[in-house]
Every structure is written in structure tokens, then in C-alpha cells.
Amino acid sequence: MLRILLSIGGLGPAVYLIHGLSTGNLGFNPFGTLVSITGQAGIWFLIATLAITPLRRWLVSLCRWCRLQQGRRGADWNFLIRIRRMLGLYGFFYVTLHAGVYCQLEMGWRVDLLWQDATEKRYLWLGWLGWLMLIPLAVTSHMALRRRMGKNWRRLHRVFYIIAVVAVLHILESAKVGDRDPVLYAAATLLLLGHRLTVAALSKLRRPEDEELEIHR
């Protein structure tokens, strides 16, 4: 049920834009609206993808602290892991739309103009870099490829942390004066990455016997 709701909700921004284009209700600057909404949808889905693992850990800790019978194990929240792939693919979808709108309406798919614009504006090559790094992650997101790649899949998908930083830098560089949304994106990303680094550091300090106990809980 959750995946169905997520599928419907994930298409919301796209449906809104299609309806706005067909009715001419995208404001006095349709190009700006298209770029803005696809970009914001892309970054929010990427942040949501990044938040799944910390959310799962927080929920487990909360259930243990409240002494609840359900939700005390990570396996109780595995459904969150299953929707992470969908969130990531929606992020890639909207980032691709974001890039496509820019190429179509601003550059007319002229490679020379794209190259010139990217070399003159740092936020553009940051955006292209983030999108290019997302491609192999989207391609290898299928479960069959994940099983075939084994541990290499996990190594490859760690690139997502770099992508999140690049995406935030892209938005901060392209933000207009007084726009607070990029600051919120940056704060959310830093919080989630900080959590990831903290967990990684603590896991290295844990004694082997502690890890063994955790496995058998």
C-alpha cells in the first residue's frame, strides 16, 4: 500500500507540470517554473533516499527506548529499504527532466552552447556532474543486477553521498539572493551525512564481542 501511495505521490509534480503546460497556467515564466519544480522535486527525492537508513535506525532506537515489542529490530523496518530504490529512481527521473528542460528550452540541444554555458557557470557543470554520476546508480538499481554485482553494488552506490553534496552545491551556486530553500536542502543533507559519518565512526570503535551480541539480538 505504501509503495502504491508513493508511486502516485511521486508523479504529482510531473502531473502538475503537464497540466500547467496544457492549460497555460505555469505563470509568466513557464521555463523558470519548469526548471524550478523539476529541480526541487529531484533534490527532495534524493534527500528522502538519503534519509531512509538513518530513519530506520532512529525508529529502531525509539522502539527500544519505548520498550515496544514491535519495531525493535532493523528487520521490522525493512519495508523502508524496499521503497528506497523507488525514491532514488524518482530523484533520477526529476533530475533528468530538470536537465532536459534546460537543454530543450534554453539551449535547443546545441552542444556548443551547452559546453560554453557549462564552462562559464560553475553550477551548471556541477549539475551535469551530479546527473552523470546518477546514471550508473539508476542502471544498477534493479534487484537482479544488485545480486549479480554483490559487494561491488554497495561500493558503487556509496557514490550517492558524493552526489548529494554535488547536488546541494549546484543549488546553492544557482540560488537567487534571498532564496532560503537551498539552505534547507543543505542543512538536511549535512544532517543526514553527519549521521552516516557518526555511525560509521562508532561502528569502528565497537568491540567484536559487542557486534556479536548485536547480531544475536
Side-chain angles (χ1 to χ4, degrees), residues 31 100-114:
F31 169 73
V101 167
Y102 168 77
C103 290
Q104 172 66 30
L105 300 183
E106 186 75 3
M107 298 287 106
W109 297 99
R110 288 185 54 182
V111 178
D112 57 331
L113 293 179
L114 286 168

Side-chain angles (χ1 to χ4, degrees), residues 60 64 72-74 206 210-217:
V60 168
R64 288 178 179 176
R72 295 170 56 88
R73 300 175 304 145
R206 294 173 67 183
D210 292 336
E211 293 179 357
E212 204 172 310
L213 285 171
E214 181 65 26
I215 290 173
H216 291 90
R217 278 186 179 180

Side-chain angles (χ1 to χ4, degrees), residues 106-151:
E106 186 75 3
M107 298 287 106
W109 297 99
R110 288 185 54 182
V111 178
D112 57 331
L113 293 179
L114 286 168
W115 177 258
Q116 180 182 349
D117 220 19
T119 54
E120 293 176 354
K121 301 172 182 176
R122 184 167 55 180
Y123 72 86
L124 286 178
W125 63 259
L126 283 169
W128 287 117
L129 176 63
W131 178 71
L132 289 172
M133 287 193 295
L134 272 173
I135 293 176
L137 271 63
V139 171
T140 58
S141 66
H142 195 276
M143 187 57 69
L145 280 174
R146 178 175 179 173
R147 294 195 185 98
R148 190 168 184 178
M149 293 176 66
K151 292 182 179 180

Side-chain angles (χ1 to χ4, degrees), residues 7-41 45 90 93-94 97 101:
S7 298
I8 297 172
L11 291 174
V15 171
Y16 171 79
L17 291 175
I18 292 173
H19 179 266
L21 281 173
S22 62
T23 58
N25 290 326
L26 289 182
F28 67 92
N29 183 10
F31 169 73
T33 303
L34 286 167
V35 169
S36 176
I37 291 180
T38 53
Q40 289 182 30
F45 274 110
Y90 268 126
F93 169 68
Y94 282 108
L97 274 183
V101 167

Side-chain angles (χ1 to χ4, degrees), residues 17-80:
L17 291 175
I18 292 173
H19 179 266
L21 281 173
S22 62
T23 58
N25 290 326
L26 289 182
F28 67 92
N29 183 10
F31 169 73
T33 303
L34 286 167
V35 169
S36 176
I37 291 180
T38 53
Q40 289 182 30
I43 189 65
W44 272 122
F45 274 110
L46 294 181
I47 291 174
T49 305
L50 193 63
I52 289 296
T53 299
L55 176 62
R56 184 168 172 255
R57 289 195 179 104
W58 294 338
L59 289 171
V60 168
S61 298
L62 178 62
C63 290
R64 288 178 179 176
W65 184 77
C66 294
R67 300 182 182 276
L68 299 177
Q69 294 300 318
Q70 297 295 325
R72 295 170 56 88
R73 300 175 304 145
D76 295 332
W77 301 98
N78 278 350
F79 69 92
L80 293 175

